[in-house]
Amino acid sequence: MEQTITVTVNGTAHTAEVEQRMLLVHFLRETLNLTGTHIGCDTSTCGCCTVHLDGETVLSCSLLAVQADGRAVRTVESLEQNGELHPIQKAFHENHGLQCGFCTPGMMMSALGVIEQHPGASDDEIREALEGNLCRCTGYQNIVASVRSAADEMARS
Amino acid sequence: MIPSTLEYTKATSLDEALAAVKAGARPLAGGMSLMPMMRLRLAAPGAVVDLGGVPELVGICEDGDEIAVGAMTTHRSVANDPLIRQHCHVVAQAAAGVGSMTIRNRGTIGGSLAHADPHGDLPAAILAAGGAVIVRGSGGERRIDVGDLITSYLTTSLAEDELITQVRLPKGAGQSAYAKFHRRAIDWSIVGVGVSIGANGVRAAAIGVGDRPMRLSAFESVLNGGGSLDDAIAQAGEGLSPLGDLDGSTEYKLHLVGVLAGQAHAEASSR
């Protein structure tokens, strides 16, 4: 079964005919060519596909694209504006918050979720918000340091 | 992987949802269990009906001496709700520990009960609190105690055409807490225990030690008979025979039941 959907992605409305079984992550990567959102597992475990749906962090591999019809999705591609890195991207760069980078888009979107909803989040709250994002380079210390630094920077600005 | 071909409809009312379920569609709640099963092709429903657009299934309110929780209320909402935290802390605490933030943002209380995963935390917490569900189907509405809802692994006493519409939590659950053990942050619990200390005495229930959430009747009767917590902990596993598997042996799981029942009881008492 096919269905026409309109999803606002990073502020732009996209209308497309999709198979009803298509996952949101495939819609983002293959229909819209937004390949910043990664697919790391088949079991809702890794968090690489984390995006925001109407402002809440969700796993785009565990939602059908048709479930996002009429709703707003925000992906990692929304962060950089006019060649200027977002504070969270700068913080990951400055604090060596990534090695291979595969988990990074999901990490950043989960981090942004907690920073935006709890501007004064403690390190424990940051760690809790990142529980669903796995890093196989074992860079968690630097990732938490990156998010801490971005949260402080965003609170100042 | 990609789910197999399916027909998707989004119900906008409970009647629409019930009609679709009666016609054979698989109800899709938060999708945190069903979607991975569909991706792995462990489940391949020909049709799903999304319950995410049914307003009467969402929300938490006081109703007499109970709290009525809509079946599609997310774990995150349950975990943060002041009423549930005050009157049924064991349920709020279990909800706060389900999976990760992204999973709690989508996963629902009704979905957890209907899916009946033997390692799901919420069924044990709700059983410890003495909760029930309201279900509706073509035969009308009925109420089922949570202890009679889940009958075995991934199996409930719901009829094919029935949906859970509400979870009812007693306001008289008293002091309560949930304790669990798992190896890594977002893993399923190997064993989890909920304890409530109310006007009618101690109730305790565990997951990970049987094919469904199990009441810890020996633990309860020691404490309700005036025995010591140490004796109750020592007897907590009586009558249970958890299967040994990759998570641990039968003996190990029986040990965990006692330890966790003791922890949950101590935390509940101090609340």
Side-chain angles (χ1 to χ4, degrees):
Chain A
M1 284 282 288
E2 305 239 309
Q3 183 181 331
T4 302
I5 59 171
T6 300
V7 185
T8 300
V9 180
N10 302 331
T12 306
H14 296 273
T15 299
E17 190 172 84
V18 300
E19 266 198 272
Q20 291 188 321
R21 65 171 170 164
M22 178 185 253
L23 300 170
L24 178 58
V25 69
H26 292 134
F27 176 72
L28 294 172
R29 289 177 56 85
E30 289 164 23
T31 306
L32 303 185
N33 288 320
L34 295 172
T35 54
T37 303
H38 291 169
I39 302 172
C41 73
D42 254 321
T43 49
S44 306
T45 304
C46 76
C48 289
C49 68
T50 304
V51 299
H52 292 199
L53 179 69
D54 290 341
E56 282 200 328
T57 52
V58 297
L59 298 169
S60 61
C61 73
S62 296
L63 276 173
L64 298 169
V66 291
Q67 291 183 281
D69 185 24
R71 305 181 71 176
V73 173
R74 185 179 177 197
T75 71
V76 71
E77 284 90 350
S78 71
L79 298 182
E80 183 194 321
Q81 295 285 333
N82 307 317
E84 181 74 15
L85 292 182
H86 187 279
I88 195 109
Q89 293 172 306
K90 279 188 197 153
F92 270 70
H93 178 231
E94 286 163 7
N95 293 277
H96 195 58
L98 65 149
Q99 288 185 41
C100 85
F102 194 86
C103 70
T104 312
M107 285 286 179
M108 287 184 175
M109 295 315 286
S110 285
L112 207 54
V114 68
I115 294 174
E116 287 179 346
Q117 295 197 0
H118 305 283
S122 66
D123 283 10
D124 280 352
E125 285 167 326
I126 289 170
R127 284 178 184 274
E128 193 188 355
L130 298 179
E131 270 181 357
N133 294 82
L134 301 186
C135 169
R136 300 306 293 269
C137 306
T138 67
Y140 295 111
Q141 294 293 349
N142 285 352
I143 289 168
V144 174
S146 303
V147 179
R148 169 83 277 144
S149 155
D152 295 344
E153 177 61 30
M154 286 166 73
R156 273 196 295 275
S157 56
Chain B
M1 276 172 41
I2 297 169
S4 58
T5 307
L6 57 84
E7 191 178 320
Y8 167 93
T9 52
K10 184 166 187 172
T12 55
S13 70
L14 187 53
D15 286 343
E16 247 179 68
L18 287 167
V21 170
K22 192 161 190 214
R26 182 81 177 261
L28 175 62
M32 294 297 94
S33 298
L34 182 56
M35 287 299 301
M37 287 168 69
M38 285 162 59
R39 295 206 317 269
L40 295 168
R41 304 284 176 108
L42 295 170
V48 297
V49 56
D50 186 353
L51 307 179
V54 181
E56 57 259 56
L57 291 179
V58 181
I60 300 167
C61 64
E62 254 177 307
D63 187 2
D65 56 3
E66 291 184 322
I67 304 166
V69 187
M72 284 294 289
T73 307
T74 62
H75 300 318
R76 182 178 196 169
S77 300
V78 169
N80 292 333
D81 184 73
L83 266 181
I84 299 177
R85 287 166 72 108
Q86 183 189 344
H87 296 292
C88 242
H89 197 273
V90 60
V91 175
Q93 195 178 5
V98 174
S100 61
M101 187 76 84
T102 42
I103 286 170
R104 293 190 291 275
N105 282 343
R106 294 285 304 170
T108 67
I109 191 168
S112 282
L113 289 167
H115 181 56
D117 189 298
H119 288 272
D121 294 307
L122 278 168
I126 297 168
L127 182 57
V133 293
I134 306 293
V135 307
R136 203 184 290 180
S138 47
E141 193 168 82
R142 64 186 178 120
R143 180 184 170 112
I144 311 173
D145 280 343
V146 163
D148 298 325
L149 175 70
I150 298 175
T151 54
S152 185
Y153 299 108
L154 307 176
T155 308
T156 67
S157 55
L158 292 172
E160 289 285 323
D161 64 349
E162 280 181 325
L163 281 176
I164 297 174
T165 58
Q166 244 182 32
V167 178
R168 309 286 298 194
L169 302 175
K171 277 159 65 183
Q175 300 160 283
S176 62
Y178 190 74
K180 65 176 180 178
F181 183 75
H182 54 177
R183 292 185 195 280
R184 290 163 302 193
I186 64 166
D187 269 352
W188 272 276
S189 302
I190 295 175
V191 175
V193 179
V195 170
S196 69
I197 310 168
N200 298 323
V202 174
R203 277 177 70 103
I207 46 102
V209 290
D211 61 351
R212 59 191 187 282
M214 309 293 280
R215 285 283 289 278
L216 302 182
S217 38
F219 181 83
E220 291 176 3
S221 55
V222 170
L223 289 172
N224 291 331
S228 72
L229 183 58
D230 283 346
D231 285 346
I233 290 170
Q235 294 179 40
E238 217 162 85
L240 302 174
S241 47
L243 291 176
D245 57 21
L246 288 174
D247 284 335
S249 64
T250 299
E251 294 71 26
Y252 177 65
K253 291 181 183 181
L254 290 173
H255 166 73
L256 276 182
V257 168
V259 171
L260 294 169
Q263 283 177 7
H265 187 274
E267 192 182 331
S269 309
S270 68
R271 185 158 278 133

